[in-house]
Amino acid sequence: PTTPAGEYVVCCDGIILAYAGKSLLRSSSLRLKRGHRYGVVGQNGVGKTTLLNNINSKQIAGFPMDICVVYVQHEILANDEQSVVDYMLQAQVKLGMSKDSAAVEAVLSD
């Protein structure tokens, strides 16, 4: 089914992504709808982390600069005494956002 471009919060075409001389994406598209959650699944070495790092650092051509991206890397050392909510609140502060625990709790509870 076709979806009007206005329904997407992210609509990027022609994405090319390479890492260490290896072509990971060639002329690919990325479309994300507001209010949806997305996962990236694939075999090791296909570029999942590279893609997410590039999205997080706004290095994907056409990716909206006003979209807040929080990429929680699996390599982050967790503090056993810190909850996920507290971690996300700290991330908001690091991004220059005001702490909004209700919004974080709402996202995590869905």
Side-chain angles (χ1 to χ4, degrees):
T2 59
T3 303
E7 290 188 28
Y8 294 111
V9 67
V10 173
C11 186
C12 301
D13 292 314
I15 299 171
I16 298 170
L17 188 63
Y19 180 75
K22 179 181 177 185
S23 179
L24 302 172
L25 296 176
R26 289 183 213 104
S27 194
S28 300
S29 297
L30 175 65
R31 288 177 173 57
L32 305 174
K33 286 185 174 183
R34 182 176 309 281
H36 286 70
R37 293 182 182 176
Y38 297 91
V40 180
V41 179
Q43 296 177 339
N44 289 342
V46 297
K48 300 178 301 290
T49 300
T50 302
L51 174 64
L52 293 173
N53 280 327
N54 278 269
I55 289 172
N56 187 48
S57 61
K58 308 288 174 118
Q59 293 181 8
I60 298 293
F63 196 90
M65 297 305 283
D66 60 334
I67 299 293
C68 178
V69 176
V70 178
Y71 168 43
V72 180
Q73 298 179 29
H74 62 281
E75 295 91 5
I76 291 176
L77 296 176
N79 176 346
D80 288 340
E81 297 174 14
Q82 183 180 36
S83 70
V84 173
V85 172
D86 289 338
Y87 180 86
M88 296 304 293
L89 290 172
Q90 281 185 339
Q92 287 179 330
V93 171
K94 287 180 183 178
L95 292 169
M97 302 166 59
S98 61
K99 285 186 177 183
D100 186 351
S101 59
V104 170
E105 299 245 9
V107 167
L108 293 174
S109 68
D110 284 343

